[in-house]
C-alpha cells in the first residue's frame, strides 16, 4: 500500500491496562494503528476510515467506524470532524481528527461502568426481595 502514510520508524507501546477494558480485537487493532500514526507531541492524527481499513485489512468503512465508536465509548480516543477547503473555495468534510486520551480516562470510565452495573444488580435484588416479601404477606394478591 504505497499510498499509506509512512511514519518515521519509532517505538511506541500500548498501555498494559488496555487488556482489562474488554475491547474487541478489531478495536484493539484500530487503537494500535492510531498509536502508530499519532503525532507524539499532540497525541493526534487524521487517518481516513479507508486508510485505517487498508492498513488493517478491514474491508468495510462501516466496520472501521464501529471500532472507532467502540474506542470512543471506552474513553480511549476523542474524535472531532474537520473541514477542508478545495482549490475552488468549496468546503468539504475532512477526515476525523483523532486524539488519543490518557489511559487513566479509560480506566476511570471502566471502573465507573463496573460500579454502575453492581449498583443496578443490587437495586434489582432489593426490589425482588421486597416483591417476594410482599407476596409472602399477601398471598391472595398473587393468585
Amino acid at each position: 500500500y504505497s499510498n499509506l502514510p509512512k511514519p518515521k520508524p519509532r517505538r511506541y507501546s500500548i498501555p498494559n491496562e488496555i487488556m482489562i477494558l474488554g475491547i474487541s480485537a478489531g478495536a484493539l487493532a484500530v487503537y494500535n494503528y492510531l498509536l502508530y500514526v499519532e503525532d507524539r507531541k499532540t497525541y493526534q492524527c487524521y487517518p481516513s476510515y479507508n486508510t485505517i481499513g487498508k492498513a488493517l485489512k478491514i474491508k468495510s468503512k462501516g466496520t472501521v467506524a464501529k471500532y472507532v465508536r467502540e474506542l470512543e465509548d471506552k474513553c480511549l480516543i476523542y474524535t472531532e470532524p474537520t473541514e477542508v477547503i478545495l482549490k475552488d473555495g468549496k468546503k468539504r468534510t475532512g477526515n476525523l481528527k483523532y486524539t488519543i486520551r490518557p489511559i487513566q480516562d479509560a480506566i476511570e470510565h471502566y471502573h465507573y461502568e463496573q460500579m454502575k452495573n453492581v449498583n443496578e444488580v443490587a437495586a434489582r435484588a432489593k426490589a425482588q426481595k421486597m416483591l417476594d416479601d410482599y407476596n409472602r404477606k399477601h398471598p391472595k394478591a398473587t393468585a
Side-chain angles (χ1 to χ4, degrees), residues 110-124:
Y110 172 79
H111 289 304
Y112 170 79
E113 289 295 318
Q114 294 297 309
M115 287 304 297
K116 188 169 83 172
N117 291 341
V118 166
N119 290 336
E120 288 172 1
V121 168
R124 279 195 294 274

Side-chain angles (χ1 to χ4, degrees), residues 12-68:
Y12 66 97
S13 63
I14 297 175
N16 291 339
E17 297 86 352
I18 195 88
M19 300 311 290
I20 68 164
L21 301 178
I23 65 173
S24 68
L28 183 58
V30 171
Y31 183 68
N32 187 37
Y33 181 77
L34 294 175
L35 288 174
Y36 177 66
V37 298
E38 78 171 334
D39 180 308
R40 296 293 192 274
K41 293 177 184 166
T42 64
Y43 306 103
Q44 296 176 336
C45 55
Y46 300 83
S48 68
Y49 288 158
N50 281 336
T51 299
I52 296 168
K54 285 179 184 176
L56 300 175
K57 296 181 174 50
I58 300 171
K59 294 180 181 172
S60 165
K61 287 193 310 186
T63 301
V64 173
K66 176 182 80 169
Y67 293 142
V68 166

